[in-house]
Amino acid sequence: MPVSSISLIANQTAVALEKARLFSEVQQLAATDSLAGLHNRRHFFELAGHEFERARRYGRPLAAIMLDIDHFKQVNDTYGHTIGDQVLRAVAARCRESLREIDLLGRYGGEEFVAFLPESDLHGARNAAERLRQCVAEAPFDTLRGPVTVTISLGVASFMESCPGLSELLNQADAAMYAAKAAGRNRVVMSRD
């Protein structure tokens, strides 16, 4: 084979590899919240929908946790949005480290995050939520303006045969999270449904 043919094949291969790398990068960007580095809302709902259907079909345990950073507006008002963004990233990282590899964690919106725990019943999810609460509250977050301490409020709900859909499960966890905030924040509340 002449050198020019080998060079042409090598160039075409390099172009194909670069296109594949760029395609993979675009897919990752489309599925990831750029600030928190977690699943974005759309991608989280896609994955959670699959887990919900699997739990319903096979009668497997599944739980949801909604969490919100307490008094986050005060962080932004006191330190500025750049520091608020640092705190959001740091909370996301601590939560990701505290959950199992099979658990789904996404940014729900603003300072709210959502976790889906396959193969976890209400008791297991409550334990996971308490670990999340403790890992956020245990130490201040290092920021450009110094250490910032925050806490989170969490609501936990588990899949039941009577649960008609993913939205209802998340609504139960969300209502429990608001009950945690109303009860004084920095706590875990379980859904009563």
Side-chain angles (χ1 to χ4, degrees):
M1 193 178 283
V3 173
S4 62
S5 295
I6 293 172
S7 178
L8 180 62
I9 291 169
N11 285 339
Q12 288 176 339
T13 302
V15 168
L17 288 172
E18 180 63 9
K19 282 183 178 181
R21 185 192 67 76
L22 290 172
F23 180 75
S24 176
E25 188 175 317
V26 167
Q27 282 185 312
Q28 177 69 21
L29 289 171
T32 305
D33 178 83
S34 61
L35 180 61
L38 303 175
H39 297 298
N40 64 23
R41 186 181 173 116
R42 181 194 56 77
H43 189 60
F44 175 85
F45 271 90
E46 181 180 314
L47 297 172
H50 294 304
E51 287 297 333
F52 185 86
E53 288 308 316
R54 187 179 70 80
R56 182 196 318 257
R57 171 178 273 167
Y58 300 110
R60 303 302 306 161
L62 176 67
I65 301 172
M66 293 289 288
L67 66 99
D68 186 74
I69 301 174
D70 296 326
H71 303 294
F72 188 71
K73 183 181 180 327
Q74 192 173 27
V75 172
N76 280 333
D77 290 350
T78 302
Y79 301 103
H81 290 278
T82 299
I83 301 306
D85 289 351
Q86 282 188 290
V87 170
L88 275 173
R89 278 190 295 274
V91 167
R94 279 194 196 169
C95 289
R96 189 174 43 246
E97 291 167 7
S98 181
L99 292 172
R100 304 170 303 174
E101 182 128 353
I102 67 166
D103 297 333
L104 301 175
L105 181 63
R107 186 165 178 209
Y108 196 68
E111 66 275 9
E112 281 188 336
F113 300 93
V114 58
F116 236 52
L117 286 64
E119 302 298 327
S120 285
D121 60 10
L122 192 59
H123 177 73
R126 196 227 183 282
N127 290 341
E130 185 57 33
R131 277 194 317 275
L132 290 170
R133 189 195 66 73
Q134 288 175 1
C135 83
V136 169
E138 72 187 356
F141 294 97
D142 292 325
T143 71
L144 295 172
R145 298 267 312 267
V148 175
T149 300
V150 296
T151 60
I152 57 177
S153 296
L154 305 96
V156 179
S158 67
F159 170 73
M160 309 283 242
E161 295 279 330
S162 61
C163 187
L166 173 62
S167 294
E168 288 76 15
L169 179 60
L170 292 175
N171 287 341
Q172 291 171 14
D174 197 44
M177 180 195 70
Y178 279 104
K181 288 190 164 300
R185 294 181 167 79
N186 190 26
R187 67 190 66 230
V188 174
V189 170
M190 315 249 281
S191 173
R192 301 292 176 228
D193 293 333

CSV table of all heavy atoms in Angstrom, one decimal, residues 109-169:
chain,number,residue,atom,x,y,z
A,109,GLY,N,-34.1,21.5,40.6
A,109,GLY,CA,-34.3,22.9,40.2
A,109,GLY,C,-33.8,23.8,41.3
A,109,GLY,O,-33.9,23.4,42.5
A,110,GLY,N,-33.2,24.9,41.0
A,110,GLY,CA,-32.7,25.8,42.0
A,110,GLY,C,-31.7,25.1,43.0
A,110,GLY,O,-30.7,24.5,42.6
A,111,GLU,N,-32.1,25.1,44.3
A,111,GLU,CA,-31.3,24.4,45.3
A,111,GLU,C,-31.9,23.1,45.7
A,111,GLU,O,-31.6,22.6,46.8
A,111,GLU,CB,-31.1,25.4,46.5
A,111,GLU,CG,-32.3,25.7,47.3
A,111,GLU,CD,-33.1,26.9,46.7
A,111,GLU,OE1,-32.8,27.4,45.6
A,111,GLU,OE2,-34.0,27.4,47.5
A,112,GLU,N,-32.8,22.6,44.9
A,112,GLU,CA,-33.4,21.3,45.2
A,112,GLU,C,-32.8,20.2,44.4
A,112,GLU,O,-32.5,20.3,43.2
A,112,GLU,CB,-34.9,21.3,44.8
A,112,GLU,CG,-35.8,22.0,45.9
A,112,GLU,CD,-37.2,21.8,45.6
A,112,GLU,OE1,-37.6,21.6,44.4
A,112,GLU,OE2,-38.0,21.9,46.5
A,113,PHE,N,-32.6,19.0,45.1
A,113,PHE,CA,-32.1,17.8,44.4
A,113,PHE,C,-33.0,16.7,44.7
A,113,PHE,O,-33.8,16.7,45.6
A,113,PHE,CB,-30.7,17.5,45.0
A,113,PHE,CG,-29.7,18.6,44.8
A,113,PHE,CD1,-29.5,19.5,45.8
A,113,PHE,CD2,-28.9,18.7,43.7
A,113,PHE,CE1,-28.5,20.5,45.7
A,113,PHE,CE2,-28.0,19.7,43.5
A,113,PHE,CZ,-27.8,20.6,44.5
A,114,VAL,N,-32.9,15.7,43.9
A,114,VAL,CA,-33.8,14.5,44.0
A,114,VAL,C,-32.9,13.2,43.8
A,114,VAL,O,-32.0,13.2,43.0
A,114,VAL,CB,-34.9,14.5,43.0
A,114,VAL,CG1,-34.4,14.6,41.5
A,114,VAL,CG2,-35.9,13.4,43.2
A,115,ALA,N,-33.2,12.2,44.7
A,115,ALA,CA,-32.5,11.0,44.6
A,115,ALA,C,-33.5,9.9,44.4
A,115,ALA,O,-34.6,9.9,45.0
A,115,ALA,CB,-31.6,10.7,45.8
A,116,PHE,N,-33.2,8.9,43.6
A,116,PHE,CA,-34.0,7.7,43.4
A,116,PHE,C,-33.2,6.5,43.9
A,116,PHE,O,-32.0,6.4,43.4
A,116,PHE,CB,-34.4,7.5,41.9
A,116,PHE,CG,-35.8,7.5,41.7
A,116,PHE,CD1,-36.7,8.4,42.2
A,116,PHE,CD2,-36.3,6.4,40.9
A,116,PHE,CE1,-38.1,8.3,41.9
A,116,PHE,CE2,-37.7,6.4,40.6
A,116,PHE,CZ,-38.5,7.3,41.2
A,117,LEU,N,-33.7,5.7,44.8
A,117,LEU,CA,-32.9,4.6,45.4
A,117,LEU,C,-33.6,3.3,45.0
A,117,LEU,O,-34.5,2.8,45.7
A,117,LEU,CB,-32.9,4.7,46.9
A,117,LEU,CG,-31.9,5.8,47.4
A,117,LEU,CD1,-32.3,7.2,47.1
A,117,LEU,CD2,-31.8,5.7,48.9
A,118,PRO,N,-33.1,2.6,43.9
A,118,PRO,CA,-33.6,1.3,43.6
A,118,PRO,C,-33.2,0.3,44.6
A,118,PRO,O,-32.2,0.5,45.3
A,118,PRO,CB,-32.8,1.0,42.3
A,118,PRO,CG,-32.3,2.3,41.8
A,118,PRO,CD,-32.1,3.1,43.0
A,119,GLU,N,-34.1,-0.7,44.8
A,119,GLU,CA,-33.8,-1.7,45.8
A,119,GLU,C,-33.7,-1.2,47.2
A,119,GLU,O,-33.1,-1.8,48.1
A,119,GLU,CB,-32.6,-2.6,45.4
A,119,GLU,CG,-32.7,-3.2,44.1
A,119,GLU,CD,-33.8,-4.2,43.9
A,119,GLU,OE1,-34.1,-4.9,44.9
A,119,GLU,OE2,-34.4,-4.3,42.8
A,120,SER,N,-34.4,-0.1,47.5
A,120,SER,CA,-34.4,0.5,48.9
A,120,SER,C,-35.9,0.6,49.3
A,120,SER,O,-36.7,1.3,48.6
A,120,SER,CB,-33.7,1.8,49.0
A,120,SER,OG,-32.3,1.7,48.9
A,121,ASP,N,-36.2,0.1,50.5
A,121,ASP,CA,-37.5,0.3,51.1
A,121,ASP,C,-37.5,1.6,51.8
A,121,ASP,O,-36.5,2.3,51.9
A,121,ASP,CB,-37.9,-0.9,51.9
A,121,ASP,CG,-37.0,-1.1,53.1
A,121,ASP,OD1,-36.1,-0.3,53.4
A,121,ASP,OD2,-37.1,-2.2,53.7
A,122,LEU,N,-38.6,1.9,52.5
A,122,LEU,CA,-38.7,3.2,53.2
A,122,LEU,C,-37.7,3.3,54.3
A,122,LEU,O,-37.1,4.4,54.5
A,122,LEU,CB,-40.1,3.3,53.8
A,122,LEU,CG,-40.5,4.7,54.3
A,122,LEU,CD1,-40.4,5.8,53.2
A,122,LEU,CD2,-41.9,4.7,54.9
A,123,HIS,N,-37.4,2.2,55.0
A,123,HIS,CA,-36.5,2.2,56.1
A,123,HIS,C,-35.0,2.5,55.6
A,123,HIS,O,-34.3,3.3,56.1
A,123,HIS,CB,-36.5,0.9,56.9
A,123,HIS,CG,-35.5,0.8,58.0
A,123,HIS,ND1,-35.6,1.5,59.2
A,123,HIS,CD2,-34.3,0.1,58.0
A,123,HIS,CE1,-34.5,1.2,59.9
A,123,HIS,NE2,-33.8,0.3,59.3
A,124,GLY,N,-34.7,1.8,54.5
A,124,GLY,CA,-33.4,2.0,53.9
A,124,GLY,C,-33.2,3.4,53.4
A,124,GLY,O,-32.1,4.0,53.5
A,125,ALA,N,-34.2,3.9,52.8
A,125,ALA,CA,-34.2,5.3,52.2
A,125,ALA,C,-34.1,6.3,53.3
A,125,ALA,O,-33.4,7.3,53.2
A,125,ALA,CB,-35.4,5.5,51.4
A,126,ARG,N,-34.8,6.1,54.5
A,126,ARG,CA,-34.7,7.0,55.6
A,126,ARG,C,-33.2,7.0,56.1
A,126,ARG,O,-32.7,8.1,56.4
A,126,ARG,CB,-35.6,6.6,56.7
A,126,ARG,CG,-35.8,7.7,57.7
A,126,ARG,CD,-35.7,7.3,59.1
A,126,ARG,NE,-36.0,8.4,60.0
A,126,ARG,CZ,-35.1,9.4,60.2
A,126,ARG,NH1,-33.9,9.4,59.6
A,126,ARG,NH2,-35.3,10.4,61.1
A,127,ASN,N,-32.6,5.9,56.2
A,127,ASN,CA,-31.2,5.8,56.6
A,127,ASN,C,-30.3,6.5,55.6
A,127,ASN,O,-29.4,7.3,56.0
A,127,ASN,CB,-30.7,4.4,56.7
A,127,ASN,CG,-31.3,3.7,57.9
A,127,ASN,OD1,-31.9,4.3,58.9
A,127,ASN,ND2,-31.3,2.3,57.9
A,128,ALA,N,-30.5,6.4,54.3
A,128,ALA,CA,-29.7,7.1,53.3
A,128,ALA,C,-30.0,8.6,53.4
A,128,ALA,O,-29.0,9.4,53.3
A,128,ALA,CB,-30.1,6.6,51.9
A,129,ALA,N,-31.2,9.0,53.6
A,129,ALA,CA,-31.5,10.4,53.8
A,129,ALA,C,-30.8,11.0,55.0
A,129,ALA,O,-30.3,12.1,55.0
A,129,ALA,CB,-33.0,10.7,53.9
A,130,GLU,N,-30.8,10.3,56.1
A,130,GLU,CA,-30.1,10.7,57.3
A,130,GLU,C,-28.6,10.9,57.1
A,130,GLU,O,-27.9,11.8,57.5
A,130,GLU,CB,-30.4,9.8,58.5
A,130,GLU,CG,-29.8,10.3,59.8
A,130,GLU,CD,-30.3,11.7,60.2
A,130,GLU,OE1,-31.4,12.1,59.9
A,130,GLU,OE2,-29.5,12.4,60.9
A,131,ARG,N,-28.0,9.9,56.3
A,131,ARG,CA,-26.6,10.0,55.9
A,131,ARG,C,-26.3,11.3,55.1
A,131,ARG,O,-25.3,12.0,55.3
A,131,ARG,CB,-26.1,8.8,55.1
A,131,ARG,CG,-25.7,7.6,55.9
A,131,ARG,CD,-25.0,6.6,55.1
A,131,ARG,NE,-25.5,6.3,53.8
A,131,ARG,CZ,-26.5,5.4,53.5
A,131,ARG,NH1,-27.0,4.7,54.5
A,131,ARG,NH2,-26.9,5.3,52.3
A,132,LEU,N,-27.2,11.6,54.2
A,132,LEU,CA,-27.1,12.8,53.4
A,132,LEU,C,-27.2,14.0,54.2
A,132,LEU,O,-26.3,14.9,54.1
A,132,LEU,CB,-28.2,12.8,52.3
A,132,LEU,CG,-28.1,11.8,51.2
A,132,LEU,CD1,-29.4,11.9,50.4
A,132,LEU,CD2,-27.0,12.1,50.3
A,133,ARG,N,-28.1,14.0,55.1
A,133,ARG,CA,-28.3,15.2,56.0
A,133,ARG,C,-27.0,15.4,56.8
A,133,ARG,O,-26.5,16.5,56.9
A,133,ARG,CB,-29.5,15.0,57.0
A,133,ARG,CG,-29.8,16.3,57.8
A,133,ARG,CD,-30.8,15.9,58.9
A,133,ARG,NE,-30.1,15.1,59.9
A,133,ARG,CZ,-29.2,15.5,60.8
A,133,ARG,NH1,-28.8,16.7,60.8
A,133,ARG,NH2,-28.7,14.7,61.7
A,134,GLN,N,-26.5,14.3,57.4
A,134,GLN,CA,-25.3,14.5,58.2
A,134,GLN,C,-24.1,14.9,57.4
A,134,GLN,O,-23.3,15.7,57.9
A,134,GLN,CB,-25.0,13.1,59.0
A,134,GLN,CG,-26.0,12.9,60.1
A,134,GLN,CD,-25.8,11.5,60.7
A,134,GLN,OE1,-24.9,10.7,60.3
A,134,GLN,NE2,-26.7,11.2,61.7
A,135,CYS,N,-23.9,14.3,56.2
A,135,CYS,CA,-22.7,14.6,55.5
A,135,CYS,C,-22.7,16.1,55.0
A,135,CYS,O,-21.6,16.7,54.9
A,135,CYS,CB,-22.5,13.7,54.3
A,135,CYS,SG,-23.5,14.1,52.8
A,136,VAL,N,-23.9,16.7,54.8
A,136,VAL,CA,-23.9,18.1,54.5
A,136,VAL,C,-23.6,19.0,55.7
A,136,VAL,O,-22.9,20.0,55.6
A,136,VAL,CB,-25.2,18.5,53.8
A,136,VAL,CG1,-25.4,20.0,53.6
A,136,VAL,CG2,-25.3,17.8,52.4
A,137,ALA,N,-24.2,18.6,56.8
A,137,ALA,CA,-24.2,19.5,58.0
A,137,ALA,C,-22.8,19.3,58.8
A,137,ALA,O,-22.5,20.2,59.6
A,137,ALA,CB,-25.3,19.1,58.9
A,138,GLU,N,-22.1,18.2,58.6
A,138,GLU,CA,-21.0,17.9,59.4
A,138,GLU,C,-19.8,18.8,59.3
A,138,GLU,O,-19.1,19.0,60.3
A,138,GLU,CB,-20.5,16.4,59.1
A,138,GLU,CG,-19.8,16.3,57.8
A,138,GLU,CD,-19.5,14.8,57.5
A,138,GLU,OE1,-19.7,13.9,58.3
A,138,GLU,OE2,-19.0,14.6,56.4
A,139,ALA,N,-19.6,19.5,58.2
A,139,ALA,CA,-18.4,20.4,58.1
A,139,ALA,C,-18.8,21.5,57.1
A,139,ALA,O,-19.5,21.3,56.1
A,139,ALA,CB,-17.2,19.6,57.6
A,140,PRO,N,-18.2,22.7,57.4
A,140,PRO,CA,-18.5,23.8,56.4
A,140,PRO,C,-17.9,23.5,55.1
A,140,PRO,O,-17.0,22.7,54.9
A,140,PRO,CB,-17.8,25.0,57.1
A,140,PRO,CG,-17.4,24.6,58.5
A,140,PRO,CD,-17.4,23.1,58.5
A,141,PHE,N,-18.4,24.2,54.1
A,141,PHE,CA,-17.9,24.1,52.7
A,141,PHE,C,-16.8,25.2,52.5
A,141,PHE,O,-17.1,26.3,52.8
A,141,PHE,CB,-19.0,24.2,51.7
A,141,PHE,CG,-20.0,23.1,51.8
A,141,PHE,CD1,-21.2,23.2,52.5
A,141,PHE,CD2,-19.8,21.9,51.1
A,141,PHE,CE1,-22.1,22.2,52.6
A,141,PHE,CE2,-20.7,20.8,51.2
A,141,PHE,CZ,-21.8,21.0,52.0
A,142,ASP,N,-15.7,24.8,51.9
A,142,ASP,CA,-14.7,25.8,51.6
A,142,ASP,C,-15.1,26.5,50.4
A,142,ASP,O,-15.4,25.9,49.3
A,142,ASP,CB,-13.3,25.1,51.4
A,142,ASP,CG,-12.8,24.5,52.7
A,142,ASP,OD1,-13.0,25.1,53.7
A,142,ASP,OD2,-12.1,23.4,52.6
A,143,THR,N,-15.1,27.9,50.5
A,143,THR,CA,-15.4,28.7,49.3
A,143,THR,C,-14.4,29.8,49.2
A,143,THR,O,-13.5,29.9,50.0
A,143,THR,CB,-16.8,29.4,49.5
A,143,THR,OG1,-16.7,30.4,50.5
A,143,THR,CG2,-17.9,28.4,49.8
A,144,LEU,N,-14.5,30.6,48.1
A,144,LEU,CA,-13.5,31.7,47.9
A,144,LEU,C,-13.7,32.8,49.0
A,144,LEU,O,-12.8,33.6,49.2
A,144,LEU,CB,-13.8,32.3,46.5
A,144,LEU,CG,-13.5,31.5,45.3
A,144,LEU,CD1,-14.0,32.1,44.0
A,144,LEU,CD2,-12.1,31.1,45.2
A,145,ARG,N,-14.8,32.8,49.7
A,145,ARG,CA,-15.0,33.7,50.8
A,145,ARG,C,-14.9,33.1,52.2
A,145,ARG,O,-15.3,33.7,53.2
A,145,ARG,CB,-16.4,34.3,50.7
A,145,ARG,CG,-16.7,35.1,49.4
A,145,ARG,CD,-16.4,36.6,49.5
A,145,ARG,NE,-17.0,37.3,50.6
A,145,ARG,CZ,-18.1,37.9,50.7
A,145,ARG,NH1,-18.9,37.9,49.6
A,145,ARG,NH2,-18.5,38.5,51.7
A,146,GLY,N,-14.3,31.9,52.2
A,146,GLY,CA,-14.1,31.2,53.5
A,146,GLY,C,-15.2,30.1,53.7
A,146,GLY,O,-16.0,29.9,52.8
A,147,PRO,N,-15.2,29.5,54.8
A,147,PRO,CA,-16.1,28.4,55.1
A,147,PRO,C,-17.5,28.9,55.2
A,147,PRO,O,-17.8,29.9,55.8
A,147,PRO,CB,-15.6,27.8,56.4
A,147,PRO,CG,-14.7,28.8,57.0
A,147,PRO,CD,-14.2,29.7,56.0
A,148,VAL,N,-18.4,28.1,54.6
A,148,VAL,CA,-19.9,28.4,54.6
A,148,VAL,C,-20.6,27.1,55.1
A,148,VAL,O,-20.4,26.0,54.5
A,148,VAL,CB,-20.4,28.8,53.2
A,148,VAL,CG1,-21.9,29.0,53.3
A,148,VAL,CG2,-19.7,30.1,52.8
A,149,THR,N,-21.4,27.3,56.1
A,149,THR,CA,-22.1,26.1,56.7
A,149,THR,C,-23.6,26.2,56.2
A,149,THR,O,-24.2,27.2,56.3
A,149,THR,CB,-22.1,26.2,58.2
A,149,THR,OG1,-20.7,26.1,58.6
A,149,THR,CG2,-22.9,25.0,58.8
A,150,VAL,N,-24.1,25.0,55.7
A,150,VAL,CA,-25.5,24.9,55.3
A,150,VAL,C,-26.0,23.6,55.8
A,150,VAL,O,-25.2,22.7,56.2
A,150,VAL,CB,-25.7,25.0,53.8
A,150,VAL,CG1,-25.3,26.4,53.2
A,150,VAL,CG2,-25.0,23.9,53.0
A,151,THR,N,-27.3,23.5,55.8
A,151,THR,CA,-28.0,22.3,56.2
A,151,THR,C,-29.0,22.0,55.1
A,151,THR,O,-29.3,22.8,54.2
A,151,THR,CB,-28.7,22.4,57.5
A,151,THR,OG1,-29.7,23.4,57.5
A,151,THR,CG2,-27.7,22.6,58.7
A,152,ILE,N,-29.6,20.8,55.1
A,152,ILE,CA,-30.6,20.4,54.1
A,152,ILE,C,-31.8,19.8,54.9
A,152,ILE,O,-31.7,19.2,55.9
A,152,ILE,CB,-30.0,19.4,53.1
A,152,ILE,CG1,-29.5,18.2,53.7
A,152,ILE,CG2,-29.0,20.1,52.2
A,152,ILE,CD1,-29.0,17.1,52.7
A,153,SER,N,-32.9,20.0,54.2
A,153,SER,CA,-34.2,19.3,54.7
A,153,SER,C,-34.5,18.3,53.6
A,153,SER,O,-34.4,18.5,52.4
A,153,SER,CB,-35.3,20.3,54.8
A,153,SER,OG,-35.0,21.3,55.8
A,154,LEU,N,-35.0,17.1,54.1
A,154,LEU,CA,-35.2,16.0,53.2
A,154,LEU,C,-36.6,15.3,53.4
A,154,LEU,O,-37.0,15.2,54.6
A,154,LEU,CB,-34.1,14.9,53.4
A,154,LEU,CG,-32.7,15.4,53.2
A,154,LEU,CD1,-32.1,15.7,54.6
A,154,LEU,CD2,-31.9,14.3,52.5
A,155,GLY,N,-37.2,14.9,52.3
A,155,GLY,CA,-38.4,14.2,52.4
A,155,GLY,C,-38.2,12.8,51.7
A,155,GLY,O,-37.6,12.8,50.7
A,156,VAL,N,-38.8,11.8,52.3
A,156,VAL,CA,-38.6,10.4,51.8
A,156,VAL,C,-40.0,9.8,51.5
A,156,VAL,O,-40.9,9.9,52.3
A,156,VAL,CB,-37.9,9.6,52.8
A,156,VAL,CG1,-37.7,8.1,52.4
A,156,VAL,CG2,-36.5,10.2,53.2
A,157,ALA,N,-40.1,9.1,50.4
A,157,ALA,CA,-41.3,8.4,50.0
A,157,ALA,C,-40.8,7.1,49.4
A,157,ALA,O,-39.8,7.0,48.8
A,157,ALA,CB,-42.2,9.2,49.1
A,158,SER,N,-41.7,6.0,49.5
A,158,SER,CA,-41.3,4.8,48.9
A,158,SER,C,-42.4,4.3,48.0
A,158,SER,O,-43.6,4.7,48.2
A,158,SER,CB,-41.0,3.7,49.9
A,158,SER,OG,-42.2,3.4,50.6
A,159,PHE,N,-42.1,3.6,47.0
A,159,PHE,CA,-43.0,3.0,46.0
A,159,PHE,C,-43.9,2.0,46.7
A,159,PHE,O,-43.5,1.1,47.4
A,159,PHE,CB,-42.2,2.4,44.9
A,159,PHE,CG,-43.1,1.6,43.9
A,159,PHE,CD1,-44.0,2.2,43.1
A,159,PHE,CD2,-43.1,0.2,43.9
A,159,PHE,CE1,-44.8,1.5,42.2
A,159,PHE,CE2,-43.9,-0.5,43.1
A,159,PHE,CZ,-44.7,0.1,42.2
A,160,MET,N,-45.2,2.2,46.4
A,160,MET,CA,-46.2,1.2,46.9
A,160,MET,C,-47.0,0.8,45.7
A,160,MET,O,-47.1,1.6,44.7
A,160,MET,CB,-47.2,1.9,47.9
A,160,MET,CG,-46.5,2.6,49.0
A,160,MET,SD,-45.9,1.4,50.2
A,160,MET,CE,-46.8,2.0,51.6
A,161,GLU,N,-47.6,-0.4,45.7
A,161,GLU,CA,-48.4,-0.9,44.6
A,161,GLU,C,-49.5,0.1,44.2
A,161,GLU,O,-49.9,0.3,43.1
A,161,GLU,CB,-49.1,-2.2,45.0
A,161,GLU,CG,-48.1,-3.3,45.2
A,161,GLU,CD,-47.6,-4.0,43.9
A,161,GLU,OE1,-48.4,-4.0,43.0
A,161,GLU,OE2,-46.5,-4.4,43.9
A,162,SER,N,-50.0,0.9,45.2
A,162,SER,CA,-51.1,1.8,44.9
A,162,SER,C,-50.6,3.1,44.3
A,162,SER,O,-51.4,3.9,43.8
A,162,SER,CB,-51.8,2.2,46.2
A,162,SER,OG,-50.9,2.8,47.1
A,163,CYS,N,-49.3,3.3,44.2
A,163,CYS,CA,-48.8,4.6,43.6
A,163,CYS,C,-49.0,4.6,42.1
A,163,CYS,O,-48.4,3.7,41.4
A,163,CYS,CB,-47.3,4.7,44.0
A,163,CYS,SG,-46.6,6.3,43.5
A,164,PRO,N,-49.7,5.5,41.6
A,164,PRO,CA,-50.1,5.4,40.2
A,164,PRO,C,-49.0,5.8,39.2
A,164,PRO,O,-49.0,5.4,38.0
A,164,PRO,CB,-51.3,6.4,40.0
A,164,PRO,CG,-51.2,7.3,41.2
A,164,PRO,CD,-50.5,6.5,42.3
A,165,GLY,N,-48.0,6.6,39.7
A,165,GLY,CA,-46.9,7.0,38.7
A,165,GLY,C,-45.8,7.6,39.4
A,165,GLY,O,-45.8,7.9,40.6
A,166,LEU,N,-44.7,7.9,38.6
A,166,LEU,CA,-43.5,8.5,39.1
A,166,LEU,C,-43.8,9.9,39.7
A,166,LEU,O,-43.3,10.2,40.8
A,166,LEU,CB,-42.5,8.7,37.9
A,166,LEU,CG,-41.3,9.5,38.1
A,166,LEU,CD1,-40.4,8.8,39.2
A,166,LEU,CD2,-40.5,9.6,36.8
A,167,SER,N,-44.6,10.7,39.1
A,167,SER,CA,-44.9,12.0,39.6
A,167,SER,C,-45.5,12.0,41.0
A,167,SER,O,-45.2,12.8,41.8
A,167,SER,CB,-45.9,12.8,38.6
A,167,SER,OG,-45.3,13.0,37.4
A,168,GLU,N,-46.4,11.0,41.2
A,168,GLU,CA,-47.0,10.9,42.5
A,168,GLU,C,-46.0,10.6,43.6
A,168,GLU,O,-46.0,11.1,44.7
A,168,GLU,CB,-48.2,9.9,42.5
A,168,GLU,CG,-49.4,10.4,41.7
A,168,GLU,CD,-49.2,10.3,40.2
A,168,GLU,OE1,-48.3,9.7,39.7
A,168,GLU,OE2,-50.0,11.0,39.5
A,169,LEU,N,-45.1,9.7,43.2
A,169,LEU,CA,-44.0,9.3,44.2
A,169,LEU,C,-43.2,10.5,44.5
A,169,LEU,O,-42.9,10.8,45.7
A,169,LEU,CB,-43.2,8.2,43.6
A,169,LEU,CG,-42.0,7.7,44.5
A,169,LEU,CD1,-42.5,7.2,45.9
A,169,LEU,CD2,-41.2,6.6,43.8
